Amino acid sequence: MSEIYTLHVNGQEREVRDAWIGENLLYVLRERLGLMAAKGACEQGECGSCSVQVGGELVCACLVMAAAAVDEPIVTVEGLGDAPTDVQRAFVDTGAVQCGFCTPGLIIAAHHLLEQHSEPTEMQIREELSGNVCRCTGYGRIIEAVQQVAVTRREGAR
């Protein structure tokens, strides 16, 4: 049985047609809506490559049924803006990007953290990013990128 429902993705209403009601959000984002930033890796919610925000919460899209996200705002990396955000620029500036497979999930996690904590401690950064596995690099530069954004935002607020 196929279904039609509407998701609110990156500020736009997106109709999902001919969907199986049990499809996960990651599949719908990538295969039905063409939003390729969230990556499918472990498909078990362990690597964080598919991290997105649903209703303001950071989730693994592979673990959420897409139909359950109806009426919730969904944000992927594509929805952060047309120009690179300060978080994305900081990842580039600090060399926190390697192969880029896990980067979209890390970027969304960093944005989520900075929305919750304007001055995150290193422990808060490590905890927020702990659901994202990067096998290409250490986490030092990623943590540095998040700290850089927090400092820049604080200085800009003065």
Side-chain angles (χ1 to χ4, degrees):
M1 180 176 173
S2 64
E3 299 287 334
I4 299 173
Y5 54 90
T6 302
L7 296 176
H8 188 78
V9 183
N10 298 331
Q12 297 180 339
E13 299 294 323
R14 302 287 304 265
E15 189 171 90
V16 179
R17 297 184 153 271
D18 301 324
W20 172 58
I21 199 71
E23 290 175 340
N24 70 35
L25 182 58
L26 176 62
Y27 180 83
V28 170
L29 290 172
R30 290 181 59 83
E31 304 302 327
R32 298 203 180 277
L33 301 179
L35 298 169
M36 306 304 269
K39 305 292 190 284
C42 73
E43 302 284 338
Q44 299 175 3
E46 294 180 2
C47 73
S49 294
C50 64
S51 295
V52 298
Q53 288 184 346
V54 176
E57 296 297 321
L58 187 66
V59 301
C60 289
C62 69
L63 297 180
V64 175
M65 288 187 0
V70 169
D71 297 329
E72 297 288 346
I74 300 165
V75 179
T76 69
V77 166
E78 291 98 333
L80 295 177
D82 293 333
T85 66
D86 55 354
V87 173
Q88 291 167 314
R89 285 193 307 273
F91 269 62
V92 171
D93 292 346
T94 60
V97 179
Q98 292 290 320
C99 77
F101 197 80
C102 65
T103 302
L106 285 162
I107 296 286
I108 285 288
H111 272 276
H112 183 259
L113 171 66
L114 291 165
E115 287 172 359
Q116 309 299 313
H117 304 280
S118 61
E119 297 182 34
T121 65
E122 182 175 332
M123 184 60 71
Q124 288 171 319
I125 296 169
R126 289 184 180 278
E127 185 175 333
E128 182 76 10
L129 302 181
S130 66
N132 297 78
V133 176
C134 177
R135 293 183 175 90
C136 296
T137 186
Y139 289 84
R141 291 181 180 184
I142 296 167
I143 293 166
E144 181 183 338
V146 176
Q147 290 172 325
Q148 179 180 308
V149 172
V151 168
T152 302
R153 286 182 181 181
R154 248 189 335 268
E155 290 174 353
R158 291 183 188 162

